[in-house]
């Protein structure tokens, strides 16, 4: 890609048209074909360049850098080398499963640039050799003069030179919820936000009204879209808290396995046991220490969490994002379309001396009018006002069978007026039939009004809507409850003051007037003032409750928007999001140093008029302060911040492909409340992974403690290598998998976010693991020593110890369903755990009593008295763990440590 130094340094919105053409060595008549070809070679095509991609083979290789995977591969090779084919195959299958799933997820993760390229306009109308021609958008070059009409996608960054009522929809780029009126005059101020540069058109935005022309000043990667693409390429995405925790677990387990196994094997050799026997035993013990199923269980837990979240309207693209949600401590939410409906709605109406509230949100034509909290039936004055507002509008609303929602066809502001009229029983189609339009004076940015002339049952009538001060200048009368009266200076000033007050509440205010009789030339004179309508893009009804739930769960919600500060502040206050914090604009943010901003970021609750780079800076500052950040958004402007955030959340309905590809999660219903459900699932998934680790490592501590204790006491080895592998691969396997789908604990959303830096091994977890493991080791070691001294054979003593170890682990599985609540709290709620234990008990009975399995497993058919002894000893683990939980809940271990 080639870059022009001019494009990177000039502030095009601050320059007059003549200067711009001079800088670009171009003319208002456009370029010649020859010049265009030369510039295409100089600047490169007008398209976004894909970043360098990692090859699939490299992605696959990356999966093998996980420490646990490496340990398991070594164990697989050693097992296969020593003839333990069954164990080697089992471990290899688990490793392959985890590696392939990780590869598939990462292979799909880096497609945001491709989606961004699809947003580029396919064709553009330009002047070449002083003639209008339609060209592929990729052939545009700086200096080209392009023509824009309603419905056209802006093909490149353009400095507008001629404008006729041009409005451009820039929500995807700036977050502005309504189309922006454009003009061609220069605008001073180098640091203006994109949304305030009203003489510019940006690539990827869409003209919705009027027409215009402009000179291309930036193409390809030099456009604002291109800068976003560059940010997407340069954003670093770190490891999730879960990945970091698992790496730590892997390193700790590897070191523990090496040291303990080496000691036990060395002691065995010192006591004169055969080298090969001790080597096989050492490998079996090493495999027991390392939880082979950990990557698979984690993947299964996350995958099942993903399935549950789909049912709750959240689609996950990257599995680890499920767990990250559970750690989320800040949600940075875009306003337009996320916290609000992205549907302009009439909220307040001033008519006949009274201020009315309008209920309902969005384009659904249902709602009521109220005054001072009491429902008010639509008066004749109100109906006349809304009739005029609807007739002087071109928009109409339609109901979609596809999604069951109402949509506006035309300008969103006019849509709000049409919906308000429908709430009063005045439907646009019926009004157009009753009062057919015969002429009109269209809206312009200079006149700031639109007037239409209609043929009614009582003759001609004109209606006008527009800026309050403009409409009032045309009026000589006003509509009151008693009828029409003269509009004096005091009434005029009172109406303007009310309009200013409504505007201060972030309402967009329009005035409506009418005139009976007359012609198009006289329609805008001697009019009657009908009233004011205040509109806003309203908050989603469910967003306020969702924010309260987030606060209850210890999650801070921050609004980040490209919209006006007043609008952002009003919406934030209504949602309960803005309380004691600050509202900061993009210009104010740019003036702060990184150090100052990192100090101030704690107190800022609303960011307004921000650019994509600002959003990225906000996310980065919060992360530096130790927060786990979720960023929601729907526009192209959100994509870099979505990718940088610990978890990016895109909107599925209104969101662009770019945000969906950059995000880790997409809300299929665009409902902020679905985030709460996703957080709940994330917390549940991590809780289940924690239960699995607690159960498995406690069992491993018991096994290692048993073997180590027997070796130190000079006793024979209490378990065979095959028994250790069976306990590890079979007995630990199914119950552990069942714990990974354990139902969520009831109080999970009443807890503060888990600090990911504390890791999985918190004090309660370590306490229960160690207590459970040590008690298991002591009880098994005591039973083994007693059985040998009671005259039982070595085979019977080993079998009793083997059965006791397995049964203790079964009881542990139920105890470890919670690290804080009693085992008696819904003990059998996990049906999968019940079935897993039942299955494992059946296998255990077969191993003990089927003769041909005795040699393979080194077991002995136990008499009834042995079973009674073993079961009674196994039951002791439950009260021990319950006592440990009680002491932990009451802070005893904290006092002891």
């Amino acid at each position: 890609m080639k870059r022009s130094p001019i494009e990177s340094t000039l502030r095009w919105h601050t320059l007059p048209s003549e200067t711009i053409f001079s800088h670009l060595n171009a003319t208002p008549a456009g370029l010649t074909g020859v010049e265009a070809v030369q510039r295409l070679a100089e600047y490169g095509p007008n398209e976004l360049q894909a970043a360098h991609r990692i090859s699939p083979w490299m992605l696959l290789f990356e999966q093998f850098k996980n420490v646990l995977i490496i340990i398991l591969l070594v164990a697989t090779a050693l097992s296969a080398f020593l003839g333990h084919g069954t164990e080697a195959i089992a471990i290899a299958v688990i490793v392959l499963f985890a590696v392939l799933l990780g590869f598939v997820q990462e292979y799909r993760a880096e497609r945001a640039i491709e989606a961004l390229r699809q947003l580029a306009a396919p064709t553009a109308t330009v002047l070449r050799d002083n003639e209008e021609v339609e060209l592929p958008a990729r052939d545009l070059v700086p200096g080209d003069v392009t023509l824009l009409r309603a419905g056209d996608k802006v093909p490149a960054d353009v400095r507008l030179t001629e404008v006729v009522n041009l409005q451009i929809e820039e929500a995807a780029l700036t977050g502005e919820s309504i189309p922006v009126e454009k003009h061609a005059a220069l605008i001073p101020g180098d640091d203006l936000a994109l949304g305030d540069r009203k003489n510019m058109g940006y690539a990827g935005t869409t003209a919705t009204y009027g027409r215009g022309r402009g000179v291309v000043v930036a193409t390809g990667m030099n456009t604002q879209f291109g800068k976003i693409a560059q940010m997407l390429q340069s954003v670093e995405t770190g490891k999730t808290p879960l990945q970091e925790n698992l790496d730590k677990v892997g390193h700790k387990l590897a070191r523990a396995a090496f040291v303990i196994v080496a000691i036990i094997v060395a002691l065995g050799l010192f006591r004169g046991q055969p080298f090969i026997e001790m080597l096989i035993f050492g490998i079996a013990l090493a495999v027991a220490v390392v939880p082979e199923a950990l990557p698979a269980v984690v993947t299964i837990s996350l995958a099942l969490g993903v399935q549950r979240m789909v049912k709750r309207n959240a689609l996950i693209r990257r599995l680890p994002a499920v767990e990250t949600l559970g750690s989320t401590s800040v949600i940075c939410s875009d306003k337009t379309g996320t916290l609000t409906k992205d549907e302009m709605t009439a909220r307040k109406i001033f008519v006949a001396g009274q201020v009315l509230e309008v209920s309902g949100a969005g384009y659904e034509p249902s709602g009521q009018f109220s005054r001072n909290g009491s429902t008010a039936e639509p008066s004749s004055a109100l109906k006349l006002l809304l009739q005029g507002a609807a007739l002087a509008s071109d928009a109409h609303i339609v109901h979609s069978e596809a999604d069951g929602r109402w949509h506006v066809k035309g300008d969103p502001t006019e849509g709000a007026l049409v919906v308000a009229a429908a709430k009063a029983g005045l439907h646009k189609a019926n009004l157009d039939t009753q009062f057919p339009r015969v002429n009109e004076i269209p809206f312009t940015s200079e006149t700031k009004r639109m007037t239409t002339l209609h043929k009614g049952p009582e003759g001609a009538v004109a209606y006008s809507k527009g800026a309050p001060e403009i409409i009032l200048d045309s009026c000589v009368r006003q509509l009151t409850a008693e009828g029409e009266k003269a509009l004096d200076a005091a009434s005029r000033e009172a109406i303007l003051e009310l309009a200013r007050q409504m505007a201060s509440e972030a309402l967009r205010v329009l005035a409506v007037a009418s005139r009976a009789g007359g012609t198009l030339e006289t329609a805008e004179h001697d009019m009657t003032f009908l009233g004011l309508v205040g509109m806003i893009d309203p908050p989603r009804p469910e967003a306020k409750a969702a924010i309260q739930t987030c606060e209850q769960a210890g999650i801070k919600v921050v609004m980040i928007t490209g919209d006006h500060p007043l609008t952002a502040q009003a919406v934030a206050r209504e949602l309960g999001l803005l309380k004691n914090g600050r509202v900061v604009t993009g210009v104010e943010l740019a003036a702060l140093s990184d150090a100052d901003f990192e100090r101030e970021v704690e107190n800022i609750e609303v960011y307004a008029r921000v650019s994509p780079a600002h959003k990225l800076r906000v996310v980065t500052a919060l992360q530096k302060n130790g927060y786990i950040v979720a960023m929601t958004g729907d526009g192209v402007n959100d994509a870099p911040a979505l990718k940088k955030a610990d978890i990016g959340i895109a909107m599925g309905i209104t969101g662009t492909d770019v945000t969906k590809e950059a995000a880790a999660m997409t809300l299929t219903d665009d409902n902020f409340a679905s985030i709460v459900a996703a957080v709940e699932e994330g917390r549940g998934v991590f809780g289940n992974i924690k239960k699995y680790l607690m159960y498995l490592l406690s069992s491993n501590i018991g096994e290692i403690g048993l073997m180590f204790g027997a070796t130190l006491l000079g006793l024979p080895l209490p378990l065979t290598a095959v028994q250790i592998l069976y306990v590890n691969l079979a007995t630990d396997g199914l119950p552990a998998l069942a714990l990974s789908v354990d139902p969520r604990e009831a109080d999970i959303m009443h807890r503060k976010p888990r600090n990911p830096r504390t890791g999985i091994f918190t004090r309660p977890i370590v306490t229960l693991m160690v207590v459970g493991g040590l008690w298991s080791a002591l009880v098994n070691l005591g039973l083994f020593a007693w059985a040998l001294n009671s005259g039982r054979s070595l085979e019977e003593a080993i079998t009793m110890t083997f059965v006791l170890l397995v049964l203790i682990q079964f009881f542990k599985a139920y105890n470890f369903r919670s690290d804080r609540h009693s085992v008696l709290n819904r003990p059998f709620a996990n049906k999968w755990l019940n079935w897993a234990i039942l299955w494992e008990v059946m296998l255990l009975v077969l191993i003990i009593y089927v003769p041909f399995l005795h040699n393979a497993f080194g077991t002995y058919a136990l008499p009834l008295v042995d079973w009674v002894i073993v079961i009674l000893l196994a039951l002791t683990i439950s009260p021990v763990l319950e006592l440990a939980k009680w002491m932990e809940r009451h802070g005893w271990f904290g006092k002891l440590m």
Side-chain angles (χ1 to χ4, degrees):
M1 183 198 72
K2 302 175 182 179
R3 181 188 295 272
S4 165
I6 294 176
E7 294 174 32
S8 303
T9 56
L10 290 180
R11 300 290 186 183
W12 299 106
H13 63 281
T14 65
L15 303 176
S17 303
E18 303 78 20
T19 307
I20 293 169
F21 281 115
S22 174
H23 272 301
L24 294 170
N25 195 20
T27 69
L31 302 174
T32 66
V34 173
E35 287 174 328
V37 170
Q38 292 172 344
R39 294 190 185 201
L40 189 61
E42 179 183 352
Y43 292 106
N46 177 35
E47 60 186 9
L48 301 180
Q49 306 296 317
H52 173 69
R53 290 187 173 188
I54 303 174
S55 72
W57 290 111
M58 186 59 67
L59 273 180
L60 187 62
F61 176 73
E62 289 289 322
Q63 307 305 312
F64 290 94
K65 290 187 176 179
N66 182 297
V67 175
L68 280 176
I69 296 292
I70 293 171
I71 293 172
L72 296 178
L73 289 174
V74 171
T76 303
L78 286 173
S79 296
F81 176 74
L82 295 168
H84 294 273
T86 303
E87 294 80 14
I89 291 171
I91 300 170
V93 168
I94 291 170
V95 170
L96 185 64
F97 178 68
V99 165
L100 287 178
L101 273 178
F103 168 73
V104 169
Q105 286 300 318
E106 290 195 22
Y107 184 72
R108 297 176 52 214
E110 300 301 325
R111 292 166 53 196
I113 301 301
E114 286 303 310
L116 199 54
R117 294 177 72 168
Q118 296 301 316
L119 284 177
T123 61
T125 303
V126 298
L127 290 179
R128 288 277 173 91
D129 298 313
N130 207 22
E131 290 185 3
E132 284 190 28
V133 292
E134 191 169 286
L135 298 173
R138 70 185 306 276
D139 292 341
L140 259 66
V141 293
D144 261 326
V145 174
T146 183
L147 309 181
L148 297 174
R149 299 180 181 88
D152 288 348
K153 189 170 281 188
V154 182
D157 283 4
V158 174
R159 169 62 160 87
L160 299 169
T161 56
E162 293 180 25
V163 167
V164 180
N165 303 329
L166 181 64
Q167 296 182 12
I168 296 181
E169 171 66 66
E170 296 181 339
L173 186 65
T174 67
E176 188 76 49
S177 55
I178 57 176
V180 179
E181 294 177 24
K182 296 294 183 178
H183 60 76
L186 66 84
I187 306 174
D190 287 350
D191 298 324
L192 283 182
L194 294 181
D196 293 326
R197 300 179 188 181
K198 297 186 177 180
N199 57 8
M200 297 290 295
Y202 294 107
T205 60
T206 304
T208 60
Y209 192 85
R211 53 190 169 83
R213 71 170 60 190
V215 57
V216 174
V217 296
T219 59
M221 296 298 282
N222 295 319
T223 63
Q224 292 299 324
F225 260 49
K227 291 172 184 176
I228 292 172
Q230 289 171 340
M231 280 191 276
L232 279 173
Q233 293 173 7
S234 61
V235 170
E236 294 294 327
T237 51
K239 288 185 175 181
T240 68
L242 180 62
Q243 289 169 325
E244 292 175 352
N245 282 325
L246 292 184
D247 281 348
K248 289 177 184 176
V249 170
H251 284 101
K252 288 176 181 176
L253 293 177
R255 288 194 291 269
F258 178 78
V259 172
I260 295 172
V261 171
I263 291 172
I264 292 175
V265 170
L267 286 173
L269 293 174
F270 179 75
R271 289 167 51 198
Q273 294 193 271
F275 174 77
I276 279 293
E277 182 183 329
M278 289 311 299
L279 183 62
I280 293 173
F281 183 80
I283 291 172
L285 202 53
V287 171
V289 173
V290 180
E292 295 89 346
L294 179 57
V297 167
V298 169
T299 302
I300 289 167
S301 298
L302 295 174
L304 291 173
V306 167
Q307 291 178 11
R308 290 193 297 270
M309 290 171 75
V310 167
K311 295 175 183 176
R312 303 181 77 174
N313 301 308
L315 181 64
I316 296 292
R317 291 185 64 249
R318 301 184 183 104
L319 288 181
V322 179
E323 180 273 335
T324 310
L325 273 166
S327 302
T328 298
S329 50
V330 174
I331 298 175
C332 295
S333 176
D334 186 48
K335 177 186 74 69
T336 306
T338 307
L339 291 168
T340 66
K341 292 178 71 69
D342 197 16
E343 298 175 357
M344 290 296 285
T345 304
R347 273 289 181 84
K348 276 189 179 179
I349 294 177
F350 171 71
V351 64
Q354 296 179 330
V355 176
L356 302 177
E357 303 282 342
V358 188
S359 67
Y363 298 135
E364 184 173 349
S366 61
Q368 293 181 323
F369 301 91
S370 60
R371 182 174 61 254
N372 299 326
S374 301
T375 302
E377 288 299 317
S379 64
S380 58
L382 175 61
K383 286 186 176 181
L384 188 57
L385 164 65
L386 294 175
Q387 174 180 300
L391 286 170
S393 299
D394 292 323
H396 62 281
I397 55 172
V398 295
H399 187 263
S400 170
E401 296 295 336
D403 60 10
R405 300 171 65 211
W406 288 87
H407 300 271
V408 67
K409 298 294 183 182
D411 182 76
T413 302
E414 290 189 344
L417 297 174
V418 170
V419 170
K423 290 175 181 177
L426 302 171
H427 298 283
K428 172 74 170 164
N430 296 340
L431 290 174
D432 287 340
T433 302
Q434 191 177 358
F435 297 89
R437 187 184 298 184
V438 294
N439 218 327
E440 68 179 82
I441 303 173
F443 174 89
T444 68
S445 54
E446 288 77 25
T447 62
K448 298 186 182 300
R449 70 189 299 168
M450 177 179 180
T451 303
T452 56
L453 194 62
H454 301 265
K455 181 180 178 182
E458 299 176 7
V461 60
Y463 293 106
S464 188
K465 72 177 194 304
E469 65 276 12
I470 301 294
I471 296 297
L472 281 168
D473 281 345
S474 303
C475 295
V476 294
R477 293 175 300 280
Q478 62 176 324
L479 184 65
T480 68
E482 293 79 29
E484 290 189 12
K485 290 187 177 181
L487 181 64
D488 56 26
S491 298
R492 193 184 303 272
E493 183 54 38
I495 293 169
L496 285 174
E497 178 57 33
L498 179 60
R500 284 191 286 269
Q501 181 184 330
M502 291 169 70
S504 71
E505 298 171 15
L507 296 173
R508 189 180 190 199
V509 185
L510 291 182
V512 183
S514 68
R515 172 179 172 150
T519 63
L520 196 64
E521 289 72 26
T522 61
E524 294 182 342
H525 303 281
D526 299 328
M527 303 191 82
T528 299
F529 174 78
L530 299 180
L532 301 172
V533 182
M535 292 156 288
I536 195 171
D537 177 16
R540 290 179 173 273
E542 64 277 5
K544 186 171 185 177
I547 288 171
Q548 290 174 345
T549 305
C550 284
E551 290 177 356
Q552 189 179 44
I555 300 167
K556 180 180 179 180
V557 182
V558 175
M559 179 190 290
I560 307 182
T561 178
D563 220 336
H564 194 279
L566 272 179
T567 307
Q569 184 172 336
V571 172
R573 286 202 187 281
E574 186 170 344
L575 287 169
L577 189 154
L578 182 61
K579 293 177 180 173
N580 304 316
R582 293 175 54 196
V583 179
V584 172
T585 65
V587 173
E588 293 168 337
L589 179 56
L592 290 172
S593 68
D594 286 343
D596 290 339
F597 180 44
E598 284 170 25
R599 283 194 298 272
E600 289 293 322
V601 74
E602 303 278 351
N603 306 315
I604 302 172
E605 293 177 336
V606 176
Y607 298 84
R609 277 286 190 255
V610 293
S611 70
H614 292 145
K615 294 187 176 189
L616 199 55
R617 193 178 172 201
V618 170
V619 172
T620 303
L622 286 167
Q623 288 174 328
K624 284 186 177 179
N625 282 15
Y627 289 101
I628 299 297
V629 183
M631 167 74 185
T632 74
D634 58 356
V636 174
N637 58 333
D638 299 320
L642 289 183
K643 189 173 182 184
K644 173 63 178 173
D646 297 283
I647 176 159
I649 307 170
M651 300 297 112
I653 297 172
T654 58
T656 60
D657 286 344
V658 182
T659 53
K660 292 174 189 175
E661 290 294 328
M665 183 176 93
T666 299
L667 301 181
T668 57
D669 61 350
D670 284 16
N671 192 335
F672 187 84
S674 297
I675 298 171
V676 180
V679 169
E680 186 178 14
E681 290 294 345
R683 291 186 176 190
V685 165
F686 188 82
N688 288 347
I689 292 171
K690 187 172 63 177
K691 294 171 191 177
Y692 161 80
L693 271 176
M694 188 164 54
Y695 166 72
L696 189 65
L697 297 184
S698 175
S699 299
N700 288 351
I701 289 171
E703 294 164 25
I704 291 286
L706 170 62
M707 307 308 296
F708 194 63
T711 304
L712 286 178
L713 293 174
L715 297 173
L717 291 175
L719 296 172
T720 67
V722 174
Q723 286 173 352
I724 290 175
L725 287 171
Y726 176 80
V727 168
N728 182 57
L729 295 173
T731 306
D732 289 352
L734 280 180
L737 287 173
L739 284 175
S740 71
V741 293
D742 202 50
R744 292 183 303 276
E745 294 180 59
D747 62 344
I748 202 165
M749 287 301 285
H750 295 277
R751 306 173 190 172
K752 297 297 180 186
R754 181 184 55 81
N755 184 346
R757 282 178 293 281
T758 61
I760 296 175
F761 299 106
T762 57
R763 193 181 68 201
I765 300 299
V766 172
T767 298
L768 289 176
M769 270 176 20
V770 171
V771 169
L774 289 180
W775 184 257
S776 173
L778 288 172
V779 171
N780 276 291
L781 193 58
L783 174 67
F784 184 62
W786 173 82
L788 288 175
N789 291 329
S790 67
R792 287 172 171 80
S793 66
L794 179 60
E795 289 78 9
E796 186 175 355
I798 287 175
T799 303
M800 289 180 72
T801 306
F802 170 62
V803 172
L804 177 58
L805 180 66
V806 171
L807 292 183
I808 282 179
Q809 291 180 189
F810 289 167
F811 287 119
K812 271 196 216 174
Y814 285 101
N815 280 95
F816 286 154
R817 288 189 58 238
S818 174
D819 62 339
R820 59 182 70 194
H821 299 304
S822 169
V823 70
L824 300 177
N825 182 15
R826 300 173 63 225
F828 302 110
N830 187 341
K831 64 177 181 180
W832 299 109
L833 181 60
N834 300 335
W835 284 110
I837 297 297
L838 182 62
W839 171 254
E840 293 295 345
V841 168
M842 290 169 58
L843 289 181
L844 183 63
V845 170
L846 291 175
I847 290 170
I848 301 302
Y849 291 109
V850 175
F852 73 85
L853 293 177
H854 288 174
N855 287 336
F857 284 89
T859 52
Y860 174 89
L862 296 179
L864 180 61
V865 66
D866 287 358
W867 276 104
V868 172
I869 295 169
V870 166
I871 291 172
L872 288 174
L873 288 173
L875 284 170
T876 61
I877 191 67
S878 287
V880 168
L881 289 175
E882 284 298 294
L883 178 62
K885 288 182 189 180
W886 183 87
M887 293 178 69
E888 182 60 49
R889 283 197 301 270
H890 291 81
W892 283 75
F893 288 112
K895 295 173 186 175
L896 294 173
M897 292 180 180

